[in-house]
Amino acid sequence: PDPTAASRMPTTFARDIVAGSTGHALETVGDLLNRSGLVRIQQYGGLGAFATVSVRGAPANETTYYLDGVPMTSAARSVISIADLPVTAIERLEVYPSASPLSLGPATPGGAINIVTLPSLARSQIGMVRGSFDTWEGRGSVGARLGGWSGLLHGGYQGARGDFVYHDDNGTPFNTADDADAERQNNRFDSATLLGTVRGTLPLGARLILRESAFRKRQGVPGLGSVPALHTRLELTRSLSLLDLERPSRGAWPGLQLRAALDRSRSRFADRANELGRGAMDTDDRMGGEQWSATVTSGHLPLGFAAEASGSIRAERSEPHDTADRYADPPRSRRHTRGAAVGLRFEPWGERVRVRVARRWDRQRDALRSLGTLGSPASTDLVRELDSPQAGVSIAPGRGLELKANWQKSSRSPDFTELFGNEGSVVGNAALVPERGETWDLGAEWSPRARGPVRVRWSHYETRLRDLIDYAQNSPNTIRALNIARARIRGEELTAWIGLPAGFSLYGFLTRQGSIDLGASPVWHGRRLPLRPEHRAFAQLGWSRRAVRVTGELEALGDDYRDRANRQRVAARTFSGVSASLRPLPDLRLRLEGRNLGDVRASDVAGFPLPGRSLFVSIDVGAPRDPALIP
């Protein structure tokens, strides 16, 4: 079986979140991640709209995304919308809140999320979802096995009209006389996913994996609620080809993994009527990358030692095009990265004591091409060196208690979008410098039995950042990346799951977080970083008996601010939902779900409304057993 996040990084608070664990009829990537106190979702609208992830208060651009271990974040863009992930093809999510496996790639201050797609199946599965705002989802998988070989073909579709009613303040939040309800316009999206996988065994215990995945999405860009954009459009096409050759370690023989990956993406944005206020735009941007990597892992060495070494070469490029402006397109920008990592584990008494140290070095060579003032060509060639040391320890004294502590240093170079802007809403800032971070955490996990009725996790974390790259509002419809000289993010997380009598279970978490600007400027010093609530709580009560499962959930968010000056306050808000599932036959599952039952009219980000009360129903044929309701 493939390794899990917990087994790859046993001293950290890494978690595996299994698809289907929310119990929802319509399950999104945001739903999965939102059930972890480690993660906060920032939504720019309803289903299908742009949405980002903040891991332990880090900006969205500090978290690295991987698809089956291949980077999705790139030199072209470091911010990934979780609405653009292949949700129907996901088996589980690996969340690394601090230190991530250095064999994946350079460490970043915001940790990493690895999306693991569906494995090969021995049977077929189909499912369909229907819900509010003309929402549809369909998915189907066909699997086959022949000797030591297996294959999977999966197809999925998700779409919605998104015409929900929201509260429109007409752009005057302090004047309620002109407020009214309005219907969201130009909010439709349609997305499709294809995935094909072939796995097979080779001589000498080796394994070959071939995987091809493709994703396509077309959507409207509705803009702000008070100033809607009725004709602006965005299209995204992405593909990933992957070849893995693996041989696990056996005895004294080391394990070996050789990987080659090819990724391509194309983004088309059209705002010819200047609805977003940045001038007429009609872009067709193409990005691509190739990666080759090798990882060697030792078998069990004397005295409880184990070692790992890896190396990688990645070539990336970006080709922006805009037919609506009067300037020629800039030449292609490139980034070439070479990296190497080493790691050592020491487990003298098995799982009772674990010590892990690792370090990665990367050398990035940039050839950046852009347009300067009045469309004049500009070029920047530079070399950066990144250094990422890690250390961690875990001690299990007994009685189900495990103590953990981790430390990491990391850095991240600005991406092409942050430097040059793109897609209508991002204004470039060529003066950005790389950001650097130092992160540490400590905490404990307790369970009286390996799968006992009680599990409790607590952790304290702190990140100190220099030259933090964060986005700030530049105009009502645009944002711009800037460097914050110094910042500190500190918080606690408490998570608990309790099995109760008569088939009941309770899961919940509490988080407290402080994110402070520590720059020298007295204008900003001591103010809270925006879009980071200080308090968050989640509770889910479940009941399961034979073929029936019912869950109710409640999420409470503390107040936060939309701007760096802490003048635009967002009030605390609470959301509720309920879902029920029935399995009348072993291979048939029906689900019913209600969201935002209180019909709360709110927005995470200024001016981008969220949908109110909604209802969804689903049917799955050939579905596997429901996983436990534990992230």
Side-chain angles (χ1 to χ4, degrees):
D2 294 331
T4 62
S7 65
R8 296 176 79 172
M9 304 292 287
T11 69
T12 71
F13 295 91
R15 300 180 190 175
D16 297 272
I17 305 177
V18 180
S21 59
T22 66
H24 288 183
L26 179 71
E27 187 174 77
T28 67
V29 176
D31 293 335
L32 288 169
L33 291 172
N34 215 34
R35 267 138 191 82
S36 169
L38 304 169
V39 174
R40 161 86 170 101
I41 308 299
Q42 295 173 354
Q43 302 181 72
Y44 289 71
L47 183 66
F50 188 79
T52 62
V53 169
S54 174
V55 179
R56 285 183 168 175
N61 52 9
E62 284 189 352
T63 300
T64 305
Y65 286 81
Y66 299 88
L67 182 61
D68 290 320
V70 179
M72 297 184 68
T73 44
S74 65
R77 62 182 66 185
S78 57
V79 176
I80 297 292
S81 172
I82 59 173
D84 296 340
L85 299 179
V87 60
T88 66
I90 292 176
E91 179 197 20
R92 73 178 192 275
L93 303 174
E94 299 175 355
V95 181
Y96 301 95
S98 53
S100 58
L102 295 181
S103 59
L104 289 176
T108 49
I113 297 175
N114 183 35
I115 297 101
V116 181
T117 57
L118 295 170
S120 301
L121 302 172
R123 61 180 183 176
S124 300
Q125 300 176 2
I126 58 173
M128 186 178 69
V129 180
R130 176 69 169 139
S132 301
F133 320 123
D134 198 23
T135 299
W136 285 94
E137 179 181 280
R139 56 192 180 275
S141 302
V142 178
R145 295 185 184 274
L146 180 61
W149 291 81
S150 62
L152 168 76
L153 181 62
H154 169 85
Y157 164 83
Q158 192 178 80
R161 189 165 60 234
D163 54 345
F164 58 86
V165 175
Y166 65 96
H167 180 75
D168 181 7
D169 64 4
N170 202 33
T172 57
F174 302 108
N175 177 17
T176 60
D178 59 355
D179 293 2
D181 286 343
E183 186 178 277
R184 199 67 161 142
Q185 302 291 321
N186 190 32
N187 199 34
R188 182 172 184 83
F189 85 97
D190 297 274
S191 64
T193 299
L194 288 175
L195 172 68
T197 300
V198 175
R199 296 177 181 232
T201 55
L202 300 175
L204 303 177
R207 181 174 66 167
L208 178 69
I209 302 175
L210 297 170
R211 181 172 292 126
E212 179 70 32
S213 64
F215 178 83
R216 179 175 175 81
K217 183 179 180 182
R218 303 178 64 183
Q219 64 184 114
V221 181
L224 299 174
S226 58
V227 188
L230 302 181
H231 308 287
T232 307
R233 304 288 299 170
L234 177 64
E235 296 183 18
L236 172 66
T237 304
R238 183 177 60 235
S239 68
L240 171 64
S241 305
L242 177 65
L243 169 63
D244 269 346
L245 182 61
E246 304 174 352
R247 186 189 183 281
S249 61
R250 292 185 178 179
W253 289 94
L256 176 66
Q257 181 192 56
L258 301 176
R259 164 168 287 185
L262 175 71
D263 59 272
R264 297 286 185 269
S265 64
R266 181 181 184 184
S267 176
R268 307 181 68 181
F269 175 82
D271 181 16
R272 290 184 171 274
N274 188 24
E275 292 180 308
L276 296 184
R278 285 201 61 199
M281 300 185 71
D282 190 358
T283 66
D284 187 356
D285 299 338
R286 306 189 185 203
M287 292 142 285
E290 297 85 32
Q291 178 169 310
W292 301 267
S293 64
T295 303
V296 180
T297 55
S298 71
H300 294 289
L301 302 176
L303 303 178
F305 283 97
E308 179 180 280
S310 62
S312 64
I313 299 175
R314 183 167 176 81
E316 302 173 83
R317 59 194 170 278
S318 174
E319 300 179 62
H321 302 277
D322 190 348
T323 61
D325 63 16
R326 63 182 184 275
Y327 303 121
D329 294 321
R332 175 186 297 179
S333 291
R334 299 177 181 270
R335 175 172 290 173
H336 191 270
T337 305
R338 295 186 179 185
V342 294
L344 183 66
R345 287 192 192 185
F346 179 50
E347 300 178 356
W349 297 286
E351 297 183 358
R352 285 191 172 275
V353 176
R354 291 171 169 171
V355 180
R356 183 187 58 84
V357 292
R359 194 162 193 167
R360 183 179 175 100
W361 301 267
D362 289 275
R363 183 181 177 87
Q364 291 181 341
R365 185 182 299 274
D366 282 357
L368 308 178
R369 305 295 181 259
S370 61
L371 297 180
T373 306
L374 300 178
S376 59
S379 62
T380 303
D381 296 287
L382 50 86
V383 175
R384 298 187 179 98
E385 294 187 354
L386 309 179
D387 185 11
S388 306
Q390 295 178 345
V393 60
S394 69
I395 301 174
R399 297 185 179 275
L401 178 65
E402 185 175 11
L403 309 176
K404 297 182 176 184
N406 300 274
W407 168 85
Q408 174 181 269
K409 279 189 174 182
S410 56
S411 55
R412 187 185 72 86
S413 301
D415 64 37
F416 299 161
T417 301
E418 293 164 342
L419 291 168
F420 309 133
N422 202 357
E423 292 188 3
S425 60
V426 181
V427 177
N429 182 0
L432 291 172
V433 299
E435 59 185 351
R436 295 166 292 162
E438 182 175 6
T439 301
W440 64 270
D441 63 23
L442 59 86
E445 298 189 10
W446 177 72
S447 177
R449 296 196 304 267
R451 295 189 177 182
V454 177
R455 300 185 196 181
V456 180
R457 305 185 187 108
W458 168 81
S459 65
H460 172 87
Y461 60 89
E462 184 167 328
T463 299
R464 291 185 175 268
L465 297 154
R466 291 185 178 273
D467 297 317
L468 165 67
I469 300 175
D470 202 2
Y471 281 101
Q473 203 76 25
N474 187 68
S475 74
N477 284 295
T478 62
I479 56 176
R480 184 173 185 260
L482 50 83
N483 283 117
I484 298 176
R486 294 178 59 200
R488 185 196 67 211
I489 302 172
R490 176 189 293 166
E492 280 85 29
E493 306 154 349
L494 177 63
T495 303
W497 178 83
I498 304 173
L500 302 172
F504 286 92
S505 65
L506 179 65
Y507 166 76
F509 61 76
L510 295 170
T511 65
R512 185 194 66 83
Q513 179 176 269
S515 306
I516 305 298
D517 189 328
L518 298 178
S521 171
V523 177
W524 314 116
H525 186 87
R527 298 188 184 273
R528 290 166 56 179
L529 297 178
L531 302 178
R532 294 166 175 86
E534 285 192 325
H535 300 92
R536 181 169 171 238
F538 177 84
Q540 184 178 59
L541 178 64
W543 176 79
S544 180
R545 179 64 61 90
R546 297 180 181 175
V548 179
R549 184 162 77 172
V550 180
T551 60
E553 58 190 48
L554 198 67
E555 180 185 15
L557 291 172
D559 69 327
D560 62 347
Y561 293 95
R562 292 170 175 154
D563 65 317
R564 193 178 175 191
N566 293 178
R567 294 176 179 174
Q568 302 176 26
R569 180 178 175 271
V570 181
R573 57 265 195 212
T574 301
F575 301 94
S576 60
V578 65
S579 61
S581 68
L582 172 66
R583 298 190 75 121
L585 298 172
D587 290 336
L588 178 63
R589 179 177 58 209
L590 306 174
R591 280 177 173 167
L592 178 66
E593 174 196 0
R595 298 194 181 194
N596 194 2
L597 299 180
D599 201 25
V600 178
R601 306 291 176 89
S603 63
D604 267 354
V605 184
F608 295 90
L610 301 178
R613 186 184 298 112
S614 54
L615 181 68
F616 302 95
V617 61
S618 70
I619 179 171
D620 292 277
V621 180
R625 292 177 57 87
D626 291 318
L629 295 169
I630 308 172

